[in-house]
Amino acid sequence: MQKGIDVSENNGVVDWQAVKDAGIEFAIIRIGYGKFNLDSRFVENVNGALDAGLKVGVYHYSYALSEDMAGVEARFVADTIFDCGLENSLEMGVWFDMEDADGYKERHGVTDRQELTNMCSVFINRMREEGFDYVGLYANYDWLTNVLYMDQLDVAVWIAQYNFTCDYDEADIWQCTDSLEIDGKYFDGNVIL
């Protein structure tokens, strides 16, 4: 079993060698959020992780409110990956974070299961059309079992379920805790198995 972390600008400056020395083998790094928002530390984080010898993937936090907006987000992600020359460096894939952690979708009335599922499908399919074979969906257990129609999505699953066991049998990656300390620095919501 491999151990990894997810990282965004919210983690500040990361000592990637310390991460590697702590036994972490991969990092999934936030590329951005919404339509055109690049994570301010994306380039620094992806280069630091690669330089330290970690496998990397990227994730995008969605603010899409429609299928068209999900398509625009997919275009932004693909363009950013190509602009950075990373298309052949993402061993850990490209992930779509469709949760609504800050209530944005709910405040805008986007709560229909089919509509949310369709937005996931649009993003996933657009990324595949761009040549990315390893495309996945990130969500917590509730979203995977009660919000999205997962039987309509043929996709890798990265589940956040802070527990001693993963209850989602189809999980490809399990984020099992919300706290990890490496060299005196805490990574909140970041331990992946």
Side-chain angles (χ1 to χ4, degrees):
M1 182 178 320
Q2 297 183 66
K3 288 179 72 176
I5 58 173
D6 78 74
V7 175
S8 74
E9 64 192 29
N10 299 319
N11 296 106
V13 176
V14 176
D15 181 341
W16 286 103
Q17 191 57 55
V19 170
K20 173 80 170 177
D21 293 346
I24 301 300
E25 298 166 84
F26 69 90
I28 302 179
I29 300 164
R30 186 174 75 167
I31 194 168
Y33 54 94
K35 289 193 284 188
F36 305 109
N37 300 295
L38 183 68
D39 184 290
S40 66
R41 293 195 180 275
F42 172 69
V43 173
E44 173 187 333
N45 281 328
V46 78
N47 286 330
L50 287 169
D51 288 347
L54 277 74
K55 293 185 268 187
V56 299
V58 298
Y59 76 96
H60 180 78
Y61 185 87
S62 178
Y63 280 102
L65 299 175
S66 68
E67 292 177 43
D68 286 343
M69 288 175 74
V72 169
E73 290 183 353
R75 175 82 268 141
F76 165 74
V77 171
D79 287 348
T80 302
I81 291 169
F82 290 128
D83 288 348
C84 293
L86 294 170
E87 59 270 19
N88 297 314
S89 300
L90 302 177
E91 290 182 66
M92 298 307 297
V94 178
W95 300 86
F96 190 52
D97 182 347
M98 188 53 177
E99 287 185 338
D100 195 21
D102 59 4
Y104 180 82
K105 292 177 187 72
E106 185 175 1
R107 284 194 307 278
H108 287 85
V110 180
T111 58
D112 179 75
R113 289 182 79 178
Q114 191 61 62
E115 185 177 15
L116 291 165
T117 303
N118 290 349
M119 286 188 273
C120 293
S121 183
V122 166
F123 183 94
I124 291 160
N125 288 331
R126 295 273 171 86
M127 296 310 296
R128 288 178 176 155
E129 289 168 7
E130 291 293 332
F132 298 98
D133 297 324
Y134 189 2
V135 181
L137 177 69
Y138 169 87
N140 65 37
Y141 184 81
D142 180 57
W143 269 68
L144 293 173
T145 57
N146 298 314
V147 178
L148 300 172
Y149 292 122
M150 292 305 296
D151 60 331
Q152 296 178 16
L153 300 171
D154 179 23
V155 66
V157 173
W158 164 15
I159 182 174
Q161 184 185 22
Y162 308 143
N163 200 351
F164 293 105
T165 60
C166 180
D167 296 323
Y168 194 77
D169 292 338
E170 293 81 24
D172 296 280
I173 297 177
W174 171 36
Q175 186 167 320
C176 61
T177 184
D178 62 354
S179 184
L180 173 69
E181 182 182 356
I182 297 175
D183 199 31
K185 180 177 179 67
Y186 282 94
F187 290 84
D188 297 327
N190 296 57
V191 183
I192 304 169
L193 297 174

